Amino acid sequence: MTILSTLSNPPFNANFIQQLIALPLPTTADLFEVVDLCAAFASVLVETDNVSERDALCGRLLHALTALERLCDDDLPQHLIEQLIAGDAEPSCMPDSWQDTATPVKYAQALAQAIQGNTLSQSVNNALTGLLHDMVYLLADFVKEPYLEP
């Protein structure tokens, strides 16, 4: 069972948004669970117009990105290593200059902070929200990329 499987309503209705905002991030969550939660926050954020919900989603996303940053530096548990070496390694979805997770995580954190500040015009805020969404999904794909065991 994943963290997100505990939510009871389809995405993008008000009740689902409130459940997602209130969803705790377990201290036992692994890298894949946290990156999936980041993607869920980013996905709902891009569809949400309510300012207080956007602020809350940005705050939750920032919290999850901080946990992701920490988990990316930790050794992977064996069950995740097994998932990563089970697939066929293909060229990375991430540019060569970003082949560590620190750079895209920092970029995603900066975007979320800029959006959460509510100091930008609506058009810039919307553009940055879309960019944040895409950055988080790229990051999610990157951390789950199969690789060959050394």
Side-chain angles (χ1 to χ4, degrees):
M1 181 193 254
T2 66
I3 297 168
L4 294 174
S5 65
T6 62
L7 301 178
S8 62
N9 291 308
F12 311 125
N13 78 32
N15 191 28
F16 178 82
I17 293 170
Q18 293 307 313
Q19 287 179 44
L20 186 60
I21 290 169
L23 186 66
L25 179 60
T27 56
T28 58
D30 66 31
L31 179 68
F32 288 6
E33 291 171 323
V34 172
V35 80
D36 286 345
L37 191 57
C38 288
F41 288 134
S43 214
V44 173
L45 179 64
V46 82
E47 298 292 330
T48 302
D49 294 324
N50 180 291
V51 174
S52 62
E53 288 176 344
R54 288 177 61 86
D55 284 347
L57 287 165
C58 275
R60 297 292 291 140
L61 177 55
L62 281 165
H63 176 70
L65 286 167
T66 300
L68 180 66
E69 182 178 35
R70 179 185 44 78
L71 287 168
C72 287
D73 288 337
D74 291 349
D75 290 335
L76 290 175
Q78 187 60 37
H79 72 279
L80 293 185
I81 292 172
E82 290 169 4
Q83 288 179 27
L84 291 171
I85 63 175
D88 292 329
E90 296 180 13
S92 179
C93 67
M94 197 64 79
D96 289 341
S97 59
W98 295 354
Q99 283 299 306
D100 64 10
T101 53
T103 300
V105 168
K106 290 291 185 196
Y107 289 167
Q109 289 170 324
L111 287 167
Q113 288 169 350
I115 293 164
Q116 190 178 35
N118 290 315
T119 59
L120 306 169
S121 70
Q122 188 62 40
S123 63
V124 171
N125 200 9
N126 289 343
L128 291 182
T129 300
L131 182 60
L132 175 60
H133 172 274
D134 295 349
M135 177 62 70
V136 168
Y137 269 81
L138 183 65
L139 186 57
D141 288 345
F142 180 61
V143 300
K144 293 181 179 182
E145 282 181 354
Y147 67 90
L148 297 176
E149 184 154 22

